Amino acid sequence: MHKDANYYIQHLHLEPHPEGGYFKSTHASEETIDAFDTTRKQYTSIYFLLGEGDVSHFHRLKSDELWYFHGGNSLVVHVIDEAGNYMEHKLGLNIENGESPQVLVPRNSIFGSSVVDNGTFSLVGCMVSPGFDFEDFELFTQSELLEKYPEHEQIIRKMAYEKL
């Protein structure tokens, strides 16, 4: 049986995510730590699915986020680091083609993701440590990013919302 994006959305009970795509929270540690002048779970984890033509729009977290490839097509994780450098990480299983089954996005990086060209969907897992809280989530517009990173105009226009 061929499994498409709708199969995973339905069977994993995924819901629309504000940055794009679909998600479901799967795990959160029982233990907490003090972080960002408050208390956070040590880690949280989600399933995340992007469909054909979808993007996870540029956003930033205060925590590290570790991505794991689960299935479908490879995913490109687009990152602008704290120094303003742009890089692409390919999340997938074609290691000879530069893909990796895990990708780390360092805290305070601006990042988003897209399914590889001609791909239909990508199912991944994301673990955030210290644990994710929407209070630590920052979504960007094209104009905000273009003001700070004009040298990355092409990818910003693809990966950032025009307006929020």
Side-chain angles (χ1 to χ4, degrees):
M1 176 181 168
H2 175 71
K3 294 178 177 61
D4 62 7
N6 288 328
Y7 172 87
Y8 292 104
I9 292 167
Q10 178 183 356
H11 287 84
L12 295 175
H13 309 287
L14 306 180
E15 299 177 5
H17 195 290
E19 77 199 35
Y22 297 86
F23 83 110
K24 180 181 181 181
S25 295
T26 56
H27 302 285
S29 68
E30 296 284 325
E31 298 81 20
T32 59
I33 58 172
D34 292 330
F36 318 122
D37 299 323
T38 188
T39 301
R40 293 281 186 267
K41 300 278 187 181
Q42 281 187 344
Y43 68 86
T44 56
S45 185
I46 65 169
Y47 286 128
F48 185 65
L49 183 142
L50 277 181
E52 183 177 14
D54 291 340
V55 298
S56 165
H57 293 86
F58 272 142
H59 60 287
R60 176 168 49 204
L61 300 178
K62 292 181 181 179
S63 300
D64 289 343
E65 184 167 37
L66 190 55
W67 291 57
Y68 302 91
F69 182 77
H70 291 311
N73 301 106
S74 303
L75 190 75
V76 180
V77 181
H78 306 269
V79 179
I80 301 173
D81 67 17
E82 285 190 276
N85 302 305
Y86 170 73
M87 62 211 73
E88 292 182 1
H89 301 284
K90 291 181 182 175
L91 188 63
L93 299 178
N94 189 346
I95 295 162
E96 297 84 18
N97 193 33
E99 296 178 4
S100 176
Q102 296 181 7
V103 168
L104 176 67
V105 177
R107 68 177 183 258
N108 298 322
S109 297
I110 295 167
F111 67 103
S113 59
S114 58
V115 179
V116 294
D117 291 339
N118 302 318
T120 57
F121 76 95
S122 183
L123 176 65
V124 301
C126 302
M127 187 191 74
V128 177
S129 179
F132 178 82
D133 189 297
F134 268 106
E135 200 174 289
D136 306 329
F137 175 83
E138 191 177 2
L139 200 55
F140 294 95
T141 63
Q142 291 177 6
S143 59
E144 289 172 319
L145 293 175
L146 288 171
E147 185 176 316
K148 191 163 185 177
Y149 308 107
E151 68 275 24
H152 304 310
E153 179 176 3
Q154 185 176 356
I155 196 65
I156 288 170
R157 293 210 182 274
K158 176 183 176 181
M159 300 300 300
Y161 283 111
E162 196 170 325
K163 295 179 181 173
L164 293 178

